[in-house]
Amino acid sequence: RKSRKAKAVGVKKTKGMQKLDTQFQCPFCGHGTSVECRIDKKIQIGEAFCWNCLERFCTQIHALTEPIDIYAEWIDECERANNS
């Protein structure tokens, strides 16, 4: 008797997680993609800075912090300063 050969079933590839942006619009000068966020996990500091108007924002980070978190915190801090 002949044994049946199993047909190879193609494995569906799932879409990976999309990478989050690391460049954003500056809240001060409004220039698009001029704000870059950098994370230094050794000293636990996150920094967002605009290379167009040279504004900076630094904050403490933790292991799960992403660049979008630093930018969002900067925007929140700007709104708090404007409302005060």
Side-chain angles (χ1 to χ4, degrees):
R1 189 166 37 133
K2 277 188 165 180
S3 63
R4 295 183 185 181
K5 292 183 180 179
K7 291 184 180 179
V9 178
V11 177
K12 286 188 176 182
K13 292 184 178 179
T14 59
K15 291 184 180 178
M17 290 179 50
Q18 293 180 348
K19 293 197 174 194
L20 298 174
D21 290 338
T22 58
Q23 295 182 335
F24 309 97
Q25 183 177 0
C26 179
F28 293 98
C29 67
H31 193 270
T33 67
S34 65
V35 173
E36 292 183 13
C37 294
R38 292 189 184 159
I39 297 175
D40 190 347
K41 291 187 179 181
K42 271 188 174 178
I43 58 174
Q44 297 181 342
I45 294 289
E47 179 183 29
F49 63 93
C50 176
W51 52 264
N52 192 33
C53 66
L54 304 177
E55 287 291 329
R56 292 182 174 273
F57 175 75
C58 293
T59 186
Q60 289 186 342
I61 63 167
H62 52 82
L64 300 176
T65 303
E66 295 289 329
I68 188 76
D69 300 324
I70 297 168
Y71 180 72
E73 195 170 328
W74 189 18
I75 297 297
D76 292 343
E77 199 65 35
C78 289
E79 287 178 0
R80 275 188 227 122
N82 286 339
N83 290 338
S84 297

